[in-house]
Amino acid sequence: STEDPATTLKVCAHLPPRLLRDSVTAATIALDYKWSLLGLEPGTPAWQSAKHKTHLRSANRLQELCFRNGGIYIKLGQHIAQLEYVVPEEYVKTMRESMLKRCPVSSYEEVREVFAKDLGESPETFFAEFDPVPLASASLAQVHAARTHDGQKVAVKVQHDHLTDTSVVDIATVDLLVNALHYIFPMFDYRWLVDEVRESAPKELDFLNEAKNSEKCLNNFRRLSPHIASSIYVPKVYWNLSTSRILTMEFMDAKEVTDVRGIKEIGIHPVDVSNLVSKAFAEMIFKHGFVHCDPHAANMMIRPMPQDSRKFFGWKRPQLVLLDHGLYKELDYTTRISYASLWKALVFADAKAIKENSVKLGAGEDLHALFAGVLTMRPWQRVIDPSPDHLVLDRKTTDYSELQDYASLYFSEISELLRRLPRVILLMLKTNDCLRAVNHALVGGTSLESFMIIGRVSSEAVLDAKRMSSRSFLNRLMIWLDEVMLEARFFSLKLILFFMQLRNLLPG
Ligand SMILES: Nc1ncnc2c1ncn2[C@@H]1O[C@H](COP(=O)(O)OP(=O)(O)OP(=O)(O)O)[C@@H](O)[C@H]1O
């Protein structure tokens, strides 16, 4: 993967210990499952308990492997941490508790080395000030505060050294690990995750690609969603101070999206933030077809809308700052419209359309109900329940252990579903999970308002598609009628929401 002989030597030196560690971990995990479940009747309480304990032990082993190997492995661990209800809960929890928090930190010497290799000089040459202590460190890079010679405060994201050199070896060894486990346990099929990392890692490791994505994202909002474009922001890129491993951008002074107390302190209501996040991602998914696929809390910031002193019921309007544009997915037109139609059907509990669009996306007739369940976290009976809040997940009223039981009960069906769905939809599931976690932190669940937003934006995308393909007067009339019906539906939902809020305000 490299032309520099010294680096080639280093890469070769990485291979044997990684392969050895991978093989030992894979073999230990495989043997543990075989041994612990030996002679137990699947589905019985004894089997469930043994499986739970083995999942926990294996998740810890995998986590240790990720830390020991570093680099792409940490990225893989982060993927797993965000696949709630898609991979067993024990893995999600273990990875979530560690991967998003414990990240590698490069020394300032290593940072200077990256600068010397990429720009030919040390950071001090390019910046008037450069803080040697990173303000944040993540899986692939760390971010330093700096000031340009003309006095602008900037954030400089510097990639951990040698990541690009070891990524090929990393992916090859992960591939081996996952394939070996799949060979032993045909039910364990996460080869798609490796394919995904193989495809996305080189893109994520190229910061010029990330910079281009950030500008494209903002342009899409301006072109395709002008009504909310001013509420979305991405830091300005300093192209002359950026390379594929160094990204210099405007410094953002804003709160992390889930910092509820901090957000309130700057005069912004968490419900407005939750609605803005839902709107922004619904627009990206259903209308732009170009989607930020890593929307975890650390990648979204909130600040008051600049140059806007207006207040609504005493609260300022929020602006959402999107960071980390390394991982984007494009939905082709047909997939985007089928996905929008599916979400529209889910929000309006339209069983026939749910089935039709699930089949179009590849879930198959037999697994459409499970697909709906994975997307909404609700059992099928609840998905098709016509009450307006049928999809709402509320911290107070939802029994999460029931959801987790559901995921573990249908483990093999979920694996089969994941095998059938296109990878781009799997990434949408991950985006979905990240957004659910953000909404959870902000408002304690996915509110009826969030679903109304998803319903509205997905319906608009479906109507736009119909409009584009219809020529005759009769067709246009039908579309107009559809629009009127839709508005009537949303009006009644808003009324219900209003009365629900009123009921919550009343004592008792
Ligand atoms: N422009 C900026 N202004 C202020 N802080 C920033 C800026 N860019 C990044 N940061 C801080 O640095 C952190 C890490 O940045 P970023 O998410 O881009 O790195 P990463 O290596 O791609 O992370 P990940 O592990 O999510 O892939 C952010 O969570 C944020 O706290």
Side-chain angles (χ1 to χ4, degrees), residues 337-356:
I337 300 307
S338 302
Y339 194 58
S341 309
L342 174 60
W343 266 108
K344 179 184 172 211
L346 288 167
V347 170
F348 293 121
D350 178 347
K352 190 168 157 267
I354 293 174
K355 186 170 180 183
E356 189 183 310

Side-chain angles (χ1 to χ4, degrees), residues 75 78 103 135-143 155 157 204 210 235 249-253 256 294 296 298-299 301 323-324:
K75 204 78 224 166
Q78 288 185 348
C103 281
L135 63 94
S137 185
S139 53
L140 305 181
Q142 59 191 39
V143 178
K157 179 166 162 176
E204 283 194 80
E210 173 171 345
M249 33 178 175
E250 175 186 1
F251 187 91
M252 302 311 306
D253 189 9
E256 195 174 285
D294 205 5
H296 64 80
N299 289 339
M301 289 175 131
L323 300 175
D324 194 359

Side-chain angles (χ1 to χ4, degrees), residues 118-181:
D118 281 30
L119 287 168
E121 302 278 353
S122 65
E124 290 76 18
T125 315
F126 298 100
F127 300 98
E129 291 164 25
F130 190 93
D131 191 345
V133 181
L135 63 94
S137 185
S139 53
L140 305 181
Q142 59 191 39
V143 178
H144 293 259
R147 198 170 290 279
T148 59
H149 288 298
D150 59 359
Q152 306 295 319
K153 191 167 181 193
V154 288
V156 188
K157 179 166 162 176
V158 186
Q159 199 170 103
H160 299 306
D161 206 7
H162 299 307
L163 271 188
T164 30
D165 308 328
T166 54
S167 66
V168 175
V169 171
D170 282 353
I171 293 165
T173 49
V174 172
D175 198 6
L176 206 74
L177 179 91
V178 172
N179 271 295
L181 283 177

Side-chain angles (χ1 to χ4, degrees), residues 386-490:
S387 65
D389 60 346
H390 65 130
L391 296 181
V392 172
L393 271 177
D394 185 319
R395 193 188 278 157
K396 286 179 237 127
T397 55
T398 305
D399 181 0
Y400 281 86
S401 60
E402 186 195 329
L403 288 179
Q404 275 142 12
D405 286 350
Y406 189 73
S408 116
L409 208 63
Y410 293 105
F411 179 70
S412 60
E413 286 86 347
I414 292 181
S415 300
E416 172 60 17
L417 178 68
L418 298 182
R419 206 188 51 72
R420 287 184 196 174
L421 292 172
R423 226 171 337 117
V424 71
I425 294 297
L426 300 182
L427 263 281
M428 293 303 116
L429 290 181
K430 181 189 139 179
T431 300
N432 207 11
D433 276 347
C434 287
L435 295 175
R436 204 171 1 239
V438 168
N439 271 325
H440 208 279
L442 284 167
V443 295
T446 311
S447 62
L448 177 56
E449 254 174 302
S450 302
F451 281 113
M452 277 171 58
I453 291 166
I454 295 171
R456 175 171 283 282
V457 183
S458 56
S459 305
E460 283 170 2
V462 174
L463 279 174
D464 283 347
K466 278 189 188 165
R467 230 176 263 123
M468 265 174 59
S469 63
S470 76
R471 297 271 173 268
S472 73
F473 173 74
L474 197 66
N475 271 348
R476 281 170 191 254
L477 187 69
M478 296 294 283
I479 292 169
W480 180 78
L481 277 176
D482 265 4
E483 259 176 307
V484 173
M485 290 285 290
L486 199 68
E487 285 308 323
R489 270 172 138 174
F490 280 116

Side-chain angles (χ1 to χ4, degrees), residues 4 31 55 131 151 267 280 291 317 373 385 392 402 415 484 501 506:
D4 171 15
L31 284 174
H55 277 338
D131 191 345
V291 187
R317 283 208 299 159
D385 176 348
V392 172
E402 186 195 329
S415 300
V484 173
Q501 283 165 343
L506 292 177

Side-chain angles (χ1 to χ4, degrees), residues 92-111:
V92 173
K93 276 203 174 146
T94 309
M95 297 297 174
R96 187 166 286 171
E97 276 155 21
S98 54
M99 287 300 158
L100 298 171
K101 293 181 189 126
R102 236 174 86 184
C103 281
V105 182
S106 297
S107 69
Y108 188 51
E109 262 327 294
E110 286 167 321
V111 170

